[in-house]
Amino acid sequence: MTFPSSDGVPLEGWFIPADSDRLVIANHPMGFNRSGLPTHLEPWLSIWGPTGNDVEVNFVPDYRILHEAGYNVLAYDLRNMGLSGAANGGAVTSGLFEGRDVLGSLRYAAHRSDTKNMAVALFSRCLGAASTFAALRQDPKASEGIECLVACQPVSDRVIMGRMLEILGAGEDRIDDLDRRVKISTSIGFQERPDTAWAKYVRIPTYLYGVHDDLLTTPDDLEQAFEMLDVEDKKLAWVQGTSMRWDGYLEFQRRPEPILEWLSRHLA
């Protein structure tokens, strides 16, 4: 299955049908694809292992849980990842341009004959969540076609990259130097990219969650997203007892009940 982003980039995905009028659109994290990421293998192990994230993340069980709960599922690869098309010189922009992919998925669902009348929820992780924030900034009317959002671990670039610099031994004080290099390379510095403050563009019921002691971020960054959400119907849930960010991505398949209850309540 393929469909275009709002700016024409070809996106590859899966549509998993169910016997219902409810649809969940899944948006994956940075560097992942719709299937997940085999971080227990090289070269990903060398990249993420130093941060403690050295296990496989497989999203297919998540789709099975959603399907068995009666939801149609649309899962796709964001631009420059998986099997989707290359764009913007191959640069990943923390959701700024990837938001166009979220808009493309919503427009695709709204025009498919078998999904156009379905109640829609977004299940967006990390980059997928930031891309959702960006999409709702780019096209505020897109909120009208979404019943609710599940947002897993959105993060601000300056926070996660600062933590990475510290873990890798370069020092968090080098963040401005890294920002300058990123801007030289991509023309888009951290300040221009979506961060958790962009949650202010979200005006739909939102279930927000993440690992409280995540080595790659700080609790106040996710708390900022919660405070900025421009909606009364919102919830912040913490994954406790771990410092591994990947445990946040695996939380749904390990303990699906809270999110399934949220989806059921808003897509009834």
Side-chain angles (χ1 to χ4, degrees), residues 49-120:
T51 69
N53 295 290
D54 56 0
V55 300
E56 180 181 17
V57 177
N58 181 1
F59 290 141
V60 175
D62 296 51
Y63 307 144
R64 178 175 181 174
I65 291 168
L66 290 168
H67 179 262
E68 291 180 347
Y71 296 99
N72 298 271
V73 178
L74 173 59
Y76 69 99
D77 300 332
L78 294 166
R79 64 184 60 202
N80 298 314
M81 299 176 210
L83 296 177
S84 287
N88 315 113
V92 177
T93 61
S94 308
L96 186 64
F97 294 151
E98 293 84 0
R100 301 169 184 175
D101 304 340
V102 177
L103 291 176
S105 72
L106 290 167
R107 293 174 187 178
Y108 174 69
H111 289 90
R112 265 183 75 124
S113 61
D114 56 348
T115 60
K116 63 182 180 181
N117 296 317
M118 290 185 179
V120 176

Side-chain angles (χ1 to χ4, degrees), residues 148-165:
C148 69
L149 166 65
V150 176
C152 173
Q153 304 189 140
V155 66
S156 301
D157 272 355
R158 289 190 68 88
V159 174
I160 192 169
M161 297 312 299
R163 295 294 300 126
M164 282 286 289
L165 288 171

Side-chain angles (χ1 to χ4, degrees), residues 5 18 45 52 64 110 122 124 128 133 135 154 164 175 194 197 215 226 238 247:
S5 69
L45 181 60
R64 178 175 181 174
L122 296 180
S124 303
F133 298 166
M164 282 286 289
I175 188 67
L215 285 177
F226 183 72
W238 290 111
D247 280 325

Side-chain angles (χ1 to χ4, degrees), residues 16 23-24 74 80 159 207 218 235 240 247 263:
I16 306 169
L23 172 66
V24 175
L74 173 59
N80 298 314
V159 174
Y207 184 107
T218 57
K235 179 178 177 62
Q240 301 282 2
D247 280 325
L263 292 172

